[in-house]
Amino acid sequence: MEKFKEKLATLRAEVDTANKRATELEEKARALEAEHDSKDNELSNLQSRAKELEESLETAETNLKQANTDFREADLRAEQLGKKAVKIQQEISVWDKKNADLDSKYQEAKAEMDELEGQMEGV
């Protein structure tokens, strides 16, 4: 019977040790679950942030493409306006020359008229 009592005491000690170990493992499991939940939340936040950044990148790419298109159009318009400015400057030169010629002819005609007036007064 003594051996039985010793065996029973040993078994009770093993049960107590096993219960303590089980409690420790349960606490560790809870801690790991909490850490896992925290990591899941962090992952969700990072995925959400990554999605927002991807959308921002897409928006920036779209804006850049539009800006490039607008720049090309503006550059083309500037080139066309530059060509028109050269043509207009050439036309102005032609008209300035014609104006100078007409002014010269006018001065000649006026001088002739003045001379004729002078001759007519003398008659």
Side-chain angles (χ1 to χ4, degrees):
M1 186 79 141
E2 196 60 39
K3 282 187 176 186
F4 179 73
K5 286 184 181 182
E6 284 178 21
K7 190 113 181 166
L8 187 61
T10 304
L11 288 174
R12 283 186 181 157
E14 286 178 15
V15 167
D16 286 343
T17 303
N19 282 337
K20 285 181 186 178
R21 181 76 176 137
T23 302
E24 289 172 2
L25 290 175
E26 284 175 355
E27 288 176 11
K28 190 171 184 178
R30 274 189 236 112
L32 288 173
E33 285 176 3
E35 184 180 342
H36 179 72
D37 290 344
S38 172
K39 297 283 182 179
D40 277 349
N41 286 338
E42 186 177 344
L43 177 62
S44 294
N45 290 339
L46 289 173
Q47 287 173 335
S48 175
R49 180 71 178 135
K51 184 176 180 181
E52 290 172 4
L53 289 172
E54 285 175 357
E55 290 171 356
S56 294
L57 179 60
E58 288 174 7
T59 301
E61 287 174 345
T62 302
N63 290 342
L64 179 60
K65 286 177 185 177
Q66 184 62 44
N68 283 336
T69 300
D70 292 347
F71 176 76
R72 278 189 229 111
E73 289 175 3
D75 193 40
L76 181 61
R77 278 190 235 129
E79 187 178 328
Q80 291 170 345
L81 289 173
K83 288 177 182 178
K84 279 185 180 181
V86 169
K87 286 181 183 178
I88 290 172
Q89 193 62 41
Q90 290 171 346
E91 287 180 21
I92 288 172
S93 295
V94 168
W95 283 106
D96 282 347
K97 186 177 180 201
K98 286 181 180 181
N99 188 34
D101 289 346
L102 287 173
D103 193 42
S104 174
K105 287 179 182 179
Y106 171 75
Q107 294 300 329
E108 287 175 15
K110 185 176 178 193
E112 277 185 44
M113 288 292 286
D114 289 344
E115 186 182 323
L116 285 174
E117 267 184 30
Q119 289 176 1
M120 297 272 290
E121 285 178 7
V123 173

